[in-house]
Amino acid sequence: ITEVEPRTLADRAGLKAGDCLLSLNGEQVSATSDLNRTFNELFTKAKGKLSAKIVREKKEQEITIKAEE
């Protein structure tokens, strides 16, 4: 991830520039060219809750992204 735009799902989830996104809801992320659209589509399919596996500072982590309440 090179940039996280303010007020996006990625921003709310706490994703940061420099994070390496491995998967979203168990689906491997292979290309970043249209990541924002893919992210939003999966979030909608997941009915407001999305799981993301990332690498941050050489440590693999799993984070949960929830719709605003």
Side-chain angles (χ1 to χ4, degrees):
I1 297 174
T2 57
E3 180 182 8
V4 176
E5 294 182 23
R7 298 176 304 278
T8 61
L9 293 173
D11 182 38
R12 286 201 322 258
L15 292 173
K16 299 178 181 180
D19 287 349
C20 179
L21 185 60
L22 302 176
S23 67
L24 291 169
N25 273 9
E27 294 185 30
Q28 184 177 358
V29 175
S30 57
T32 58
S33 60
D34 201 14
L35 184 58
N36 195 41
R37 183 180 63 79
T38 301
F39 195 82
N40 286 323
E41 284 177 3
L42 285 172
F43 191 78
T44 300
K45 287 180 186 176
K47 300 191 187 328
K49 187 175 179 183
L50 185 67
S51 171
K53 189 177 286 188
I54 64 168
V55 174
R56 178 181 291 161
E57 297 175 1
K58 300 181 183 179
K59 295 179 184 172
E60 195 170 294
Q61 301 177 31
E62 189 153 334
I63 59 174
T64 301
I65 305 158
K66 296 180 183 177
E68 285 184 306
E69 304 193 10

